[in-house]
Amino acid sequence: MRGLIIATGALLLAAPTFARDAAPPRAAVDPTRLSETVKTLASDEYEGRAPGTAGERKTIEFLIARFKAMGLEPGGDKGGWTQAVPLIHTRIGTGGSISLGVANGQPMALAQSTEINLTTVRDTPRIDIAAAPMVFVGYGVNAPEAGWDDFKGVDLKGKVAIFLVNDPDFEAVAGEDAVGRFGGRRMTYYGRWTYKFEEAARRGAIAALIVHDTGGAGYGWSTAAASNGENFDIVRAANDPRVPLQGWIEHDTATRIFAAAKLDLSALRVQARSAGFRPVELKGLNFNAALPVSVERIESANVLAILPGKTRPDESVMFAAHWDAYGAGPADAQGKTIRPGANDDGLGVAGVLELARLFKAAARADRSMVFALWTGEERGLLGSEYYATHPLKPLSKTAANLTLDILQTAGPARDVILVGAGNSSLDADLTAAAKAQGRVITPETFSERGLFYRADHFSVVRRGVPSLLLMALGGASDLKAGGRVAGQKWLDDYMTCYHKTCDAWSADWNLDGAATDITLFYTMGKSIANARSWPMWSEGSEFAATRAKTKADRP
C-alpha cells in the first residue's frame, strides 16, 4: 500500500509566474497564461502527473496555489481544497493460466495481451475460475425505453458473459429490428464497455468478456490490450460490486472460440440485431483462469474551488478538467519516459483556471460556481466517479457540467466541434455562444466512437446532470488558416502523440483558438449561473429519466 499526503493548509509550492492572478484580470481568456500553465504542468518536474506519485503531490500543490492566489474559496472535504479519492490498483501477475475446456478435445490455452486481455478491480490476491459455463449475450443491452432486452431472464450467476461491443444498431441494415433503436451509428451508453461490465456484475456473472473489433470499439486491439493486466478503480461500497474478471477477446480468437462450440460468430452478430434474440450458451466449452493478482491501495485527490452563489448558493454550475496524465512509461525512440499530458489534459486544466480567474473578477452570480480538477481520468474517470458517488454539492441542483478535455492548438477556427449532438438543451446554448463569436457548430465526425461517454463529465451525466464536452478529437476543425484540411492535419499529428511522450508543451502552439473555445464556456456558464431555468435532457435521452427522479429538488 502506498499513501499520498495532500497538503491543504499552507502554500507549499511557490508560483511566482502567476502572482498577477490576484490583480485585476484581463476581460478575456489569455492564451499566454494558458501556455504558461501547461508549460509548468507538462514539465519533467511534474513527472507525468500520475496518481499516487510525487508528481501528483507537486500538481496538487500548484493547483491549490493558483486557486488561492485568485481568492477563491476551498470546495473540498471539511473546508479544504481537496477531496480524498481512495483508489485500488491491481495487476494480473505472471505465471498464471487462462484456458478453455473443450469437450472431447484438448484444452485451448489463451495468451494474455495477444489473444485476450484480462483485468480485475477486485481487492483479491488471486482469481480462480474453474469450468465456468460461457454464455453469449449479444450486445448485452437492457433498454426498456427502446423495447430491447438481450438477456430475456437468463441466469448468469457463476457464468462468463460474452458481449459484442457497441450498440445493436451499429451495423444494422434496413429491415432489421435494431435499425434506429439506439441512434444509428451514434454510440449510446449501452454501447460502452463500462456499461457491459456493470450489467454483468448486476446479473452475477463471474466474468465479462467483450469481443473486440476496431470499428465498433473505435480503436485497435493494441489499445484494448494496452493495460496488459493492469487496472484501477475507486474503493467502492459493498453494495456497488464489480465483476470479478473482465476484459477483451481479440476478434479472430473469438471467432475460433465460437467455432469450437460449433457456433458461427458472424451469424450470431446478425441474430443479435433482432429484438427477439436470446442468449446462446457455448456448449461444450468452459472457462478456466488461475491468475495471481497484485493489489495496492492509493489515496489520490480531486482539487475543488468554489465561488459561492449570491442568491441560490445551493444551486451550482460546474467547470471541470482532469489534472492527471500517464506518468512514466517505457522509453521512446529518443529515450524519453515521461508522458507529460500537455494537451491531455494540461490545457483543459489551464482553461478551468482561466475561467475561475475571469468569474472571480466578474459580478457575483446567483448560482455557485464549482471548479473541479479531477484525478484518475486516464484510469477510468475515477476522480469524477468518486465525486459523483460522494458529491460535495447536490447533483440534483447542479445545473450543468462543462468539461474541457483536449483542445486544438493550431489557431482560430470558424467552427466548434460538438461532441454528443442532440443530448440536451446545452447544444442550443453552445450554438448561440458560437454564433456570437461569428462561428458555427460542426457535429463530431465519428459519433460511433462514443466520445461523449469517455470523459469526466460522464460520471455526473450518469446521475442525470446535463453536461457538455469540448474535445478536439471529435473531428477536423475548419481552421481560419488552412480550413478543414489543416484541421485534419492537426488532428492526425496530435493522434500520433496521444497518451505518449510527445504530448508535450510547445512554444509553437497557437492557443488563440483554444482561448476562443474556453470563452464559449465563460459565456454559457455566466448565463446558466444567473438563470432561473434548468438545462434539460432531450426527449428520449437515456439520462432524462434519472434527472426526472430529482425534479422536486429544483424550483
Side-chain angles (χ1 to χ4, degrees), residues 161-479:
I162 301 178
F163 299 79
L164 297 175
V165 71
N166 219 301
D167 295 303
D169 60 356
F170 172 67
E171 295 179 307
V173 297
E176 293 182 336
D177 292 348
V179 172
R181 297 275 190 120
F182 300 91
R185 296 282 290 180
R186 174 178 168 269
M187 185 185 285
T188 69
Y189 183 49
Y190 299 117
R192 288 286 290 145
W193 54 266
T194 47
Y195 167 81
K196 298 174 194 295
F197 291 157
E198 290 165 1
E199 194 66 35
R202 283 189 286 268
R203 295 172 182 273
I206 199 168
L209 305 175
I210 299 174
V211 176
H212 176 266
D213 69 81
T214 298
Y219 41 76
W221 174 251
S222 63
T223 299
S227 69
N228 194 27
E230 182 184 35
N231 213 333
F232 287 78
D233 198 11
I234 61 173
V235 175
R236 296 183 180 272
N239 63 351
D240 187 17
R242 288 296 180 261
V243 68
L245 195 64
Q246 62 191 45
W248 295 82
I249 310 173
E250 189 272 332
H251 182 274
D252 291 344
T253 301
T255 299
R256 183 162 52 93
I257 290 171
F258 277 72
K262 296 181 172 52
L263 295 171
D264 183 340
L265 180 56
S266 296
L268 287 172
R269 283 180 179 275
V270 176
Q271 294 177 32
R273 301 197 290 265
S274 166
F277 168 82
R278 298 185 65 85
V280 177
E281 183 177 352
L282 276 67
K283 295 180 179 179
L285 294 186
N286 57 60
F287 183 85
N288 304 276
L291 301 168
V293 181
S294 64
V295 181
E296 178 185 29
R297 293 293 186 104
I298 297 171
E299 183 170 288
S300 190
N302 296 322
V303 182
L304 295 145
I306 191 168
L307 288 173
K310 179 173 61 177
T311 60
R312 287 169 280 141
D314 58 330
E315 300 176 12
S316 64
V317 182
M318 177 178 283
F319 305 87
H322 68 89
W323 61 253
D324 69 304
Y326 267 101
D332 65 10
Q334 289 74 44
K336 296 179 181 178
T337 60
I338 292 174
R339 296 169 286 187
N343 197 337
D344 184 14
D345 192 26
L347 185 52
V349 170
V352 170
L353 292 173
E354 273 293 272
L355 290 168
R357 180 179 71 89
L358 293 175
F359 280 120
K360 178 67 173 91
R364 193 172 166 194
D366 291 326
R367 286 171 168 153
S368 295
M369 295 186 179
V370 176
F371 302 92
L373 299 173
W374 310 119
T375 183
E377 188 273 352
E378 301 293 8
R379 310 299 184 173
L381 318 184
L382 299 183
S384 56
E385 175 68 12
Y386 190 82
Y387 181 92
T389 56
H390 302 79
L392 301 178
K393 280 283 186 181
L395 295 183
S396 64
K397 293 187 177 183
T398 300
N401 173 292
L402 304 177
T403 287
L404 298 168
D405 195 344
I406 304 178
L407 303 174
Q408 61 88 3
T409 59
R414 299 181 183 89
D415 62 348
V416 182
I417 304 298
L418 174 56
V419 175
N423 276 310
S424 75
S425 62
L426 293 173
D427 290 6
D429 297 336
L430 181 68
T431 300
K435 184 177 180 180
Q437 295 180 338
R439 303 166 72 196
V440 298
I441 298 296
T442 298
E444 63 184 309
T445 305
F446 301 107
S447 60
E448 69 272 17
R449 294 180 180 175
L451 289 179
F452 186 77
Y453 309 97
R454 291 163 58 178
D456 278 311
H457 68 292
F458 188 64
S459 296
V460 296
V461 163
R462 292 176 57 196
R463 278 79 183 182
V465 178
S467 300
L468 193 68
L469 169 68
L470 286 185
M471 178 181 275
L473 303 189
S477 298
D478 183 9
L479 297 176

